[in-house]
């Protein structure tokens, strides 16, 4: 075995050999221009590539491997300082925040953090690569096994509908479909993140044992439902069928199950083992696979699956063991990156290498109202005016699909019969201080004017009506028509729907002008779409801060101002629970902007009078108040709050007020996301990695650094248990000011208007005045709430909110610091400036207690001060 030092460029292509040495005793050849360490093994070439102070990329290639285009890593950072040491048994590559040890005997890698603590190990013999083919072209199958100790908790792989947040040992198939976003990134409580660098289908903890189920009978009545499709609203008649099989396991223990329904989308997940229900989930659309971990005893077990009659269900299973496995059937190399550190350090490092998330517009952080759909210009404006008349805060109203009408699907123009003057519509909305988001698809009717041109030029993915964004000419054609047809109206935000493309539609197709098998880039179509739109907006609408809203995503897509949502989901309690877990799973992958259809996309027919649904709707909206984006949507529904009666409207108004009062806190976190690589909606692993009880909570999360959110995810309850993570200073109830110790489960009284919210003691929570829209100019004071019990600090960020002047340094920051012993709040000098910055701000400073500083609205202040940008100390 020998060590080879090679220089590489950013996409991993070998450029020049600098020097060669043989592992003899303690010798190594080091060049100041080195970019990687390359180990020549019998089975192939293993490369260790330092990316930054706490990140190392690992690539294993064999003869015939062809370097892939780099899509994930974009930032041209300098090579970090590192050193290499070696002895008879090992070679160690050391950086400031991570080290990698190569065992010469086993050829396995061990990763350690800055404190030399092991965070991750390859399993001995766990590296696999073999030649294969796809659509007649040479490729490789790759697989890597890692050691996973019993006390490890693992999060990530994107947004899934199986309900799991801790996915250690769980089997998942990473594909892009409606309601599922596949991102091959995991975050561990052990102090590392891992990005699996593959653009195609990936199996996480693949289960190789399988059984095919056979049809047994039809059960239940046939039901006709309203559903959505890529051609619009459709009706489907569905009847449940039963499928059965016998499963024999050799040993008692925990087993991971993956159910594949055998179609591109499922309608139902139903699995029983020996009559015991494992899962029972219904929705008009579901991903084709779902997973669970169960306890099984030695011997045979009777399996029943229920589904749609055309299903061909296969159940895959594997014992849960002390390992984590990634497998990709289509690859050119085995390629992964390890980031060492806590959650924030991992995500910040990931964004440093893959691109920062641009600042979202201020108005996008208010309330986004959507329904399927406004049918006319007059209808949309009528509802916009009603929000203002009822004084319900709102910043953006959304026009969903089919506004193109007679011109054909996604013709990138309005049907003049129903939208006679889109420019005037936009002007009226802007005069109301309201923004418009509009739905634009990646598919175009082949019979439309644009579609005919696209077809003539070969810009479609063959056999589909999806534009081939992998073809640069096709992408440019799409943007040209997008720009010419829609940009001229002053539309504010862009809803790029169905960017999977719809339901994993690249399999068995050719892309990039028929040059490449679709499987090679099977999961990255949404990135190409967002890239096209974002770069087009930056070029042709440079003064307006971009916002892209899309149904699918991939690693690196945060750099294109892209936010995702959880797709076309139902409305029931189980679906609500699964959305929250799914969103937190995406937050663990570094893509920071996410939300869901509050109230569910598919809703009951009697939604306006059904008080049971009203409770569900309220709980969906309350949880969504603390998501990165707050949004309501619903299928074949008029989703405006007043449709559900005065009681629902009153509670909705309360949470809209709370969202808008939190804007100084939220917008400062928007800056932290962009400048520091932070995360707003935080799975508890990010703040409490040593607290095993916190790590087990699937639905609780932190909203920024201070607020613990415990959504209500079941109906008809007046009390619920909330776990308060271990925190030396404890927690304070947002609603009543009561203090609690951390590290305990507490019983919290709730009612329909309240969900459990706790603030970490030592926090400074900045609350603005109530507003009707984010940019409303009001002279009302801010409220600074001090949660005593520990010292605290918070950084306030402000800028113009709607353009890119912040990239030129036009913003301001000031620091708030609380000394708990002296009971003083220090407000620092304000640094920086921007157009429109207020010279003076009035602060009502409140020390939170059971008597003061609680709930949504302003409290009687302990002190009122006027801040003019100069440092001041406020004593309480």
């Amino acid at each position: 075995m020998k060590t080879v030092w090679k220089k590489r460029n950013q996409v991993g292509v070998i450029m020049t050999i600098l020097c060669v040495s043989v592992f003899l005793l303690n010798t190594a050849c080091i060049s100041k221009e080195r970019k990687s360490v390359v180990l020549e093994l019998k089975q192939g070439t293993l490369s260790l590539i330092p990316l930054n102070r706490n990140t190392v990329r690992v690539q294993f290639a064999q003869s015939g491997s062809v370097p892939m285009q780099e899509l994930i890593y974009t930032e041209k950072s300098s090579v970090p300082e590192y050193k290499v040491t070696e002895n008879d048994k090992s070679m160690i590559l050391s950086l400031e925040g991570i080290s990698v040890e190569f065992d010469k005997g086993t050829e396995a890698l061990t990763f350690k953090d800055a404190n030399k603590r092991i965070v991750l190990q390859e399993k001995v013999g766990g590296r696999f690569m073999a030649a294969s083919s796809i659509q007649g072209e040479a490729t490789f199958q790759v697989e890597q096994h890692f050691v996973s100790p019993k006390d490890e908790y693992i999060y990530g792989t994107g947004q899934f509908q199986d309900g799991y947040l801790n996915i250690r040992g769980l089997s998942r198939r990473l594909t892009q479909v409606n309601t599922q976003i596949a991102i091959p990134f995991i975050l561990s409580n052990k102090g590392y993140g891992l990005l699996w660098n593959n653009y195609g289908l990936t199996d996480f903890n693949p289960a190789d044992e399988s059984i095919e189920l056979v049809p047994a009978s039809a059960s239940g009545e046939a039901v006709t439902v309203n559903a959505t499709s890529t051609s619009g609203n459709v009706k489907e008649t569905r009847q449940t069928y039963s499928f059965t099989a016998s499963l024999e396991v050799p040993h008692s223990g925990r087993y991971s199950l993956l159910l594949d329904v055998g179609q591109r989308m499922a309608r139902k997940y139903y699995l029983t083992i020996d009559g015991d229900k494992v899962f029972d989930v219904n929705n008009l659309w579901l991903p084709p696979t779902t997973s669970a971990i169960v306890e099984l005893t030695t011997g045979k077990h009777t399996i029943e699956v229920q589904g749609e009659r055309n299903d061909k269900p296969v159940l895959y299973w594997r014992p849960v063991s002390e390992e984590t496995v990634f497998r990709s059937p289509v690859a050119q190399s085995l390629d992964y990156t390890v980031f060492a550190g806590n959650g924030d350090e991992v995500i910040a490092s990931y964004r440093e290498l893959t691109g920062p998330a641009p600042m979202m517009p201020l108005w996008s952080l208010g309330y986004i109202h959507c329904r399927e759909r406004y049918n006319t210009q007059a209808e949309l404006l009528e509802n916009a005016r009603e929000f203002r008349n009822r004084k319900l805060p709102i910043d953006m109203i959304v026009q969903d699909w089919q506004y193109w009408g007679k011109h054909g699907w996604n013709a990138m123009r309005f049907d003049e019969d129903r939208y006679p003057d889109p420019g005037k519509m936009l002007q009226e909305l802007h005069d109301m201080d309201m923004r418009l988001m509009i739905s634009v698809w990646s598919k175009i009717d082949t019979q439309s004017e644009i579609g005919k041109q696209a077809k003539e030029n070969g810009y479609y993915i063959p056999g589909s009506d999806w534009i081939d964004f992998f073809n640069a000419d096709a992408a440019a054609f799409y943007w040209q028509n997008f720009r010419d047809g829609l940009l001229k109206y002053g539309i504010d935000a862009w809803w790029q729907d169905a960017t999977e493309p719809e339901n994993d539609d690249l399999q068995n197709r050719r892309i990039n002008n028929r040059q490449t098998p679709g499987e090679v880039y099977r999961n990255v179509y949404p990135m190409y779409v967002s890239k096209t739109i974002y770069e087009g907006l930056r070029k042709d609408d440079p003064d307006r801060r971009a916002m892209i809203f899309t149904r699918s995503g991939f690693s690196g897509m945060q750099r294109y101002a892209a936010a995702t949502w959880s797709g076309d989901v139902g409305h029931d309690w189980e679906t609500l629970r699964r959305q929250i877990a799914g969103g937190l799973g995406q937050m663990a992958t570094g893509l920071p902007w996410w939300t869901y259809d509050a109230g569910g996309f598919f809703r009951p027919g009697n939604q306006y009078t059904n008080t049971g649904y009203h409770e569900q709707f309220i709980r969906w909206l309350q949880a969504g108040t603390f998501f990165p984006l707050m949004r309501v949507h619903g299928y074949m529904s008029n989703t405006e709050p007043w449709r559900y009666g005065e009681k629902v409207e009153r509670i909705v108004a309360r949470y809209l007020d709370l969202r808008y009062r939190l804007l100084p806190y939220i917008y400062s976190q928007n800056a932290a996301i962009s400048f520091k690589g932070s995360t707003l909606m935080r799975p508890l692993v990010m703040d409490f990695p040593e607290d095993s009880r916190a790590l087990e909570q699937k639905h609780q999360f932190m909203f920024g650094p201070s607020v613990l959110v415990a959504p209500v995810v079941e109906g008809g309850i007046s009390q619920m248990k909330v776990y308060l993570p271990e925190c030396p200073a404890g927690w304070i109830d947002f609603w009543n000011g009561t203090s609690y110790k951390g590290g305990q489960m507490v019983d919290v009284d709730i009612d329909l208007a309240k969900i459990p919210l706790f603030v970490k003691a030592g926090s400074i929570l900045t609350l603005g005045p109530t507003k009707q829209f984010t940019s409303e100019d009001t002279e009302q004071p801010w409220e600074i709430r001090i949660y005593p019990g520990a010292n605290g600090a918070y950084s306030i960020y402000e800028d113009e909110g709607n353009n890119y002047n912040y990239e030129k340094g036009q913003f301001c920051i000031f620091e708030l610091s609380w000394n708990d012993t002296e009971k003083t709040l220090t407000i620092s000098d304000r640094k920086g400036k921007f157009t429109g910055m207020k010279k003076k701000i009035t602060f009502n400073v409140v020390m939170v207690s059971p008597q003061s500083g609680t709930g949504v609205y302003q409290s009687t202040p302990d002190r009122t001060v006027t801040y003019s940008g100069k440092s001041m100390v406020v004593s309480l």
Side-chain angles (χ1 to χ4, degrees), residues 621-817:
L621 181 125
Q622 289 169 333
T625 303
F626 302 95
F627 290 170
L629 302 175
M630 183 183 184
R631 171 178 171 270
V632 163
H633 190 35
Y635 179 58
M636 300 182 72
S637 303
N638 297 339
T639 56
E640 294 75 28
W642 56 86
R643 314 284 182 187
Y644 301 90
E646 188 273 335
K647 182 178 181 179
V648 173
E649 183 180 353
R650 184 176 68 251
I651 294 173
V652 169
R654 186 186 197 198
Y655 279 82
L656 291 176
D657 283 343
L658 178 54
R659 177 76 180 194
Y660 279 72
R661 290 214 66 204
L662 283 165
L663 279 172
Y665 178 80
I666 296 172
Y667 197 67
S668 296
Q669 287 301 298
N670 184 15
I673 288 170
S674 291
F675 290 99
K676 299 179 180 179
S678 189
T679 302
L680 175 56
M681 183 182 181
R682 304 170 64 84
L684 297 185
V685 67
M686 300 196 75
D687 296 282
F688 310 100
E690 306 295 332
D691 185 347
S692 60
R693 294 183 73 187
L695 298 176
E696 292 165 359
Q697 306 306 312
K698 295 198 296 184
H699 308 118
Q700 292 181 206
F701 58 91
M702 293 295 293
F703 186 61
S706 302
V707 182
L708 177 69
V709 182
V712 179
V713 292
E714 58 181 309
I717 60 174
S718 58
Q719 190 179 76
M720 64 180 281
K721 291 188 178 297
V722 176
Y723 180 70
L724 302 179
E726 294 175 358
C727 177
W731 299 86
I732 299 174
D733 190 310
F734 175 84
W735 300 106
N736 59 34
T738 303
S739 297
Y740 295 86
K741 292 181 179 179
Q744 64 167 330
M745 193 75 73
V746 296
D747 292 317
V748 180
D749 293 330
I750 59 173
D751 57 37
L752 195 57
K754 185 173 75 173
I755 66 170
L757 297 174
F758 292 85
V759 182
K760 189 187 296 183
S763 295
I764 303 171
L765 196 60
T766 51
L767 299 172
T770 55
K771 290 184 173 187
Q772 291 300 294
F773 48 92
T774 54
S775 60
E776 184 177 9
D777 188 10
T778 172
E779 296 303 319
Q780 295 300 309
W782 289 19
E783 185 176 26
I784 300 178
R785 292 187 183 177
I786 307 296
Y787 290 81
N791 294 338
Y794 196 72
S795 178
I796 298 296
Y797 172 96
E798 295 184 289
D799 64 18
E800 294 171 74
N802 58 5
N803 57 38
Y804 291 103
N805 287 338
Y806 74 90
E807 294 180 345
K808 305 171 186 175
Q810 297 179 30
F811 58 85
C812 78
I813 295 175
F814 59 93
E815 308 291 337
L816 305 176
S817 302

Side-chain angles (χ1 to χ4, degrees), residues 529-542:
V529 177
S530 293
K531 178 179 186 292
T532 298
I533 304 307
Y534 179 73
E535 292 180 349
L537 291 171
R538 292 302 304 258
K539 177 178 178 290
D540 294 324
D541 196 9

Side-chain angles (χ1 to χ4, degrees), residues 74 88 170 189 195 199 214 359 366 575 609 620 689 748:
T74 61
D88 292 340
L170 187 72
N189 72 312
L195 176 56
Y199 308 141
V214 297
M359 291 280 289
T575 301
T609 58
W620 279 75
V748 180

Side-chain angles (χ1 to χ4, degrees), residues 1-9 12 14 23 29 33-41 44-52 55-61 79-86 90-95 98-104 107-112 120 122 127 144 146 197 333-338:
M1 180 184 64
K2 60 183 179 180
T3 307
V4 184
W5 301 94
K6 297 181 180 179
K7 185 176 180 181
R8 293 173 178 258
N9 67 5
I14 296 172
F23 275 129
C29 179
E33 295 186 70
R34 65 198 185 282
K35 298 252 177 136
S36 64
V37 177
V38 179
L39 309 175
E40 297 292 352
L41 312 180
T45 302
L46 180 65
S47 302
L48 307 180
I49 309 168
L51 297 181
N52 63 21
T55 307
V56 173
R57 185 173 186 176
V58 177
Q59 292 180 324
F60 181 72
V79 178
E81 288 296 321
Y82 69 89
K83 65 179 180 179
V84 175
T85 57
E86 100 182 75
S90 66
M91 184 278 296
I92 301 175
L93 168 67
S94 300
L95 293 91
I98 190 174
S99 62
V100 188
E101 180 177 353
F102 174 80
D103 187 305
K104 295 181 181 180
E107 298 187 351
L109 299 177
T110 296
F111 300 84
K112 298 180 181 180
L120 178 66
E122 289 186 342
R127 188 183 302 124
Q144 181 66 61
F146 300 93
N197 302 307
S333 64
L334 192 162
D335 190 347
Y336 68 88
T337 302
V338 177

Side-chain angles (χ1 to χ4, degrees), residues 316-523:
Y316 296 85
W317 57 275
R318 62 172 285 159
V320 174
S321 59
E322 293 186 31
E323 67 174 2
T324 295
V325 183
F326 284 88
R327 175 192 293 166
S328 293
V330 179
Q332 286 298 324
S333 64
L334 192 162
D335 190 347
Y336 68 88
T337 302
V338 177
F339 309 81
N342 62 35
D344 279 324
E345 290 169 335
V346 165
I347 299 303
S349 182
Y350 153 80
R351 298 230 195 99
E352 178 185 323
L353 296 167
T354 65
M359 291 280 289
M360 280 291 175
L362 173 62
W363 44 261
S364 71
L365 304 180
Y367 173 59
I368 302 171
H369 183 76
C370 187
R371 78 184 197 195
E372 190 282 315
R373 61 197 175 275
Y374 294 109
N375 294 288
T376 65
Q377 176 174 327
E379 186 180 42
L380 186 148
L381 290 171
E382 173 192 352
N383 282 276
R385 287 190 288 266
E386 189 66 15
F387 269 98
R388 291 287 180 247
N389 292 338
R390 291 176 178 265
K391 297 192 179 306
L392 290 168
I394 182 177
D395 264 82
M396 184 153 59
I397 196 164
V398 182
Q399 175 62 60
D400 202 347
W401 61 357
Q402 302 197 54
Y403 58 87
W404 44 74
K406 63 188 178 186
H407 298 300
W409 192 277
N410 196 44
M412 298 190 190
R413 60 186 298 189
F414 288 87
D415 184 338
E416 300 84 355
D417 295 339
R418 293 185 289 123
Y419 299 84
D421 194 338
K424 183 180 179 182
M425 178 177 70
L426 264 295
Q427 186 59 56
E428 289 190 41
L429 288 174
H430 291 167
D431 289 345
M432 286 187 271
D433 296 289
M434 201 175 300
R435 310 282 175 161
L436 179 70
M437 176 189 286
I438 192 168
S439 173
V440 191
W441 284 56
S442 304
K443 60 168 285 182
I444 300 174
D445 185 348
T446 57
Q447 297 306 307
S448 69
E449 182 179 334
I450 300 174
K452 290 177 181 178
Q453 298 175 48
K455 188 173 183 179
E456 181 179 348
N457 289 309
Y459 291 157
Y460 284 108
I461 295 174
S464 80
D465 45 14
W466 300 103
I467 294 296
D468 184 359
F469 282 88
F470 302 97
N471 178 346
D473 291 337
F477 169 84
Y478 181 92
W479 173 250
Q480 176 187 339
N481 286 280
F482 186 115
R483 178 194 63 205
D484 296 346
L486 297 172
L487 204 59
K488 59 189 176 185
Y489 297 120
I491 295 167
D492 303 282
W494 307 98
W495 183 359
Q496 298 299 135
D497 207 347
T499 52
E500 295 84 9
E502 177 93 13
N503 305 337
D504 198 20
D505 211 19
L506 294 186
Q507 188 179 15
N508 299 319
R509 300 190 191 279
R510 306 288 293 188
I511 60 171
N512 190 19
N513 200 20
R514 299 178 183 260
Q515 296 180 58
T516 310
E519 288 84 352
V520 175
Y521 295 98
R522 188 167 171 179
N523 280 339

